[in-house]
Amino acid sequence: MLNKIKEHIAEVEAFTATSKDEIEQFRIKYLSKKGLLNDFFAEFKNVPNEQKKEYGQTINKLKTAAQEKVDTLKATLEAEEEIKGVYGDLSRPGEPIELGSRHPISIVKNKITEIFSRIGFNVSEGPEIEDDWHNFTALNLPEHHPARDMQDTFFVQTDPDIMLRTHTSTVQVRYMENNKPPIRTISPGRVYRNEAISARSHCFFHQVEGLYVDKGVSFADLKQTLQYFTTELFGKSKIRLRPSYFPFTEPSAEVDVYWGLETETDYKMTKGTGWLEIMGCGMVDPNVLKNCGIDPEVYSGFAFGMGIDRIALLLHQIPDIRMLSENDMRFLQQFKSVL
Ligand code: DAH
C-alpha cells in the first residue's frame, strides 16, 4: 500500500496540463470526495499500528503535492491566458518587417554629394528664407538688374528684402563670407520659384551648388571636375560646354552630357539630339569674390549649379516632376531596392 502511494506521489509531481479540463480531471482523481486520497485516508484504520506513522505522513505528502500541483498549474494557465488576451497568441509567426525606402530626391542628392566628397568637397547648407543680399545682390545682381527676372521670386509677406531663395547659389555667398580659401563645398537644398506647375516644372524643387576657390583655379579644372562627375553619376564621359550667361560667373557655360540615341526613350529625352542639358557653371565673377571678402587678385574659383529633380527624373525614368512631391506610396515603394 505504501509503495502504491509513493508511486502516486511521483505521478503527481510529474503531472503537467495544458487546459483547465485536464487540471479538473486531475483534481477529481485525487482531491474530490470520491478521490483517491479519501480512499487512502479511509484505509488508515486498517493499517497496523507500527506503520501508522509512516503511512499518515506519506498520504499527507501526497495530499500536499496534489493540492500544490493544482494551484500552480491553474496559476500558470491563467497567467498565460491573460498574456494571450493582451498580445494574442505568442507562438504565432512574426509579422514581416516592412523595408522603408529613400525618396528619389535623397537618393540622387546622396549620390552627388558622395561623388564630390571623393575629390575633397564638403557639404554645406543655408536657409531657405533668404535676404536680398544673399539671393541677389552679393551674386552680382544689384537692384534693378534685369537678370533678377530670370527667376520669379516668392517674397515673404510684403517685405521686398525677404524671400524664399530662388537658387542654392545663396550658400556660395554664405560659405565664402564665413570661410577662407581653399574652399571646396557642395550645397544641396530646396529652392522656390513662382512658376506654373506642370509635368516638367514645379514651384519648389532641389538644387546642388558647387564651389571651388583657391589660388590658380582655372577653367580647365572646372571642365575636368565636371567630366569626372558626369562619368561617375551617369556613366557618360562625353560632355560639351556651351557659352551662356549668369551674373555670378564670367565666363559662364551650360553643360550638356551626351546621353546617346540608342533607344526610343533616348530620342524622347534628348529631343532627338542625344544631348541633355544638366547644369550651369562658370568662373566665379571677381565681383562676387569681392562681395564675400575674398581678394580676386589672389584667388579664383569655379561654381556650378544643377537641378536634382530633373536628374532624378532622368535616372529613374520618372515621367512627371509632380510625382516627387505627391507622396503616393505606390510610387515611393518602387525605390526600396535603391540605396
Ligand atoms: N543658380 C543658377 C540657377 O539657379 C545655377 C547656376 C549656374 C549656379 C551657374 C552656378 C553657376 O553656381 O555657376 O539657374
Side-chain angles (χ1 to χ4, degrees):
M1 184 61 97
L2 210 54
N3 278 343
K4 207 171 155 201
I5 300 174
K6 282 183 181 161
E7 271 169 33
H8 277 294
I9 293 178
E11 192 182 308
V12 165
E13 279 170 353
F15 179 74
T16 57
T18 51
S19 71
K20 279 189 173 158
D21 259 5
E22 282 171 13
I23 301 173
E24 184 58 10
Q25 293 300 326
F26 175 84
R27 194 194 64 78
I28 290 167
K29 180 176 173 188
Y30 286 100
L31 298 162
S32 67
K33 263 192 185 150
K34 292 179 179 165
L36 284 171
L37 266 157
N38 275 348
D39 294 348
F40 292 136
F41 278 119
E43 201 57 37
F44 190 71
K45 57 182 186 298
N46 303 326
V47 175
N49 270 349
E50 68 275 13
Q51 286 179 20
K52 271 201 161 65
K53 188 180 171 200
E54 196 188 356
Y55 184 88
Q57 284 175 343
T58 315
I59 41 176
N60 271 328
K61 199 175 163 195
L62 177 60
K63 189 184 172 188
T64 321
Q67 191 59 56
E68 273 177 6
K69 195 61 158 193
V70 170
D71 292 347
T72 47
L73 283 178
K74 262 193 188 160
T76 319
L77 213 65
E78 272 165 19
E80 271 172 13
E81 268 169 13
E82 196 178 331
I83 290 172
K84 260 189 207 164
V86 178
Y87 300 111
D89 177 5
L90 289 179
S91 65
R92 74 194 188 283
E95 296 272 327
I97 296 168
E98 275 274 333
L99 261 195
S101 55
R102 284 193 208 288
H103 193 278
I105 292 289
S106 298
I107 294 169
V108 172
K109 180 189 84 175
N110 291 346
K111 258 193 194 156
I112 295 173
T113 51
E114 196 272 323
I115 290 169
F116 280 103
S117 77
R118 273 186 258 151
I119 51 170
F121 282 73
N122 67 7
V123 176
S124 52
E125 285 180 347
E128 291 180 16
I129 298 173
E130 265 296 5
D131 51 31
D132 183 279
W133 171 255
H134 293 96
N135 199 73
F136 290 129
T137 306
L139 286 164
N140 211 23
L141 282 137
E143 216 183 329
H144 306 305
H145 193 289
R148 284 190 174 212
D149 296 339
M150 281 163 73
Q151 304 168 352
D152 285 316
T153 311
F154 282 120
F155 292 93
V156 172
Q157 292 179 333
T158 48
D159 189 342
D161 190 48
I162 306 294
M163 64 203 70
L164 299 179
R165 67 180 176 190
T166 58
H167 52 182
T168 44
S169 301
T170 52
V171 191
Q172 271 193 40
V173 178
R174 288 183 176 274
Y175 200 88
M176 286 192 278
E177 283 173 341
N178 295 305
N179 297 275
K180 294 273 148 270
I183 289 170
R184 270 175 294 185
T185 192
I186 282 286
S187 323
R190 181 175 284 178
V191 300
Y192 302 82
R193 284 185 203 175
N194 193 355
E195 275 171 22
I197 298 171
S198 72
R200 309 292 309 154
S201 77
H202 213 296
C203 60
F204 63 81
F205 52 98
H206 305 78
Q207 288 187 331
V208 172
E209 188 81 9
L211 175 69
Y212 180 22
V213 181
D214 202 353
K215 285 176 184 161
V217 176
S218 72
F219 204 87
D221 296 323
L222 170 59
K223 272 177 84 173
Q224 190 60 49
T225 305
L226 296 179
Q227 188 155 35
Y228 156 77
F229 169 69
T230 57
T231 311
E232 294 299 307
L233 186 67
F234 301 110
K236 320 256 180 196
S237 57
K238 193 165 152 188
I239 58 170
R240 73 179 179 196
L241 276 70
R242 282 178 292 106
S244 183
Y245 170 75
F246 298 103
F248 26 90
T249 42
E250 181 59 34
S252 304
E254 256 153 323
V255 184
D256 298 342
V257 56
Y258 190 71
W259 191 260
L261 279 174
E262 276 160 35
T263 66
E264 205 181 316
T265 324
D266 292 348
Y267 264 89
K268 258 195 219 154
M269 282 188 340
T270 67
K271 299 200 181 88
T273 65
W275 291 95
L276 272 180
E277 185 194 319
I278 54 154
M279 66 169 102
C281 68
M283 300 305 290
V284 182
D285 194 290
N287 280 334
V288 176
L289 294 175
K290 229 186 285 169
N291 288 339
C292 302
I294 291 174
D295 185 352
E297 299 296 326
V298 181
Y299 295 103
S300 59
F302 66 69
F304 53 87
M306 67 188 114
I308 302 180
D309 305 60
R310 232 176 77 79
I311 295 176
L313 300 192
L314 279 175
L315 286 179
H316 296 287
Q317 310 271 300
I318 301 165
D320 191 319
I321 196 171
R322 289 169 291 198
M323 295 171 99
L324 294 173
S325 49
E326 279 166 352
N327 281 340
D328 186 330
M329 291 297 281
R330 292 167 302 179
F331 169 70
L332 296 174
Q333 280 171 346
Q334 292 179 52
F335 297 90
K336 273 187 184 172
S337 60
V338 196
L339 293 174

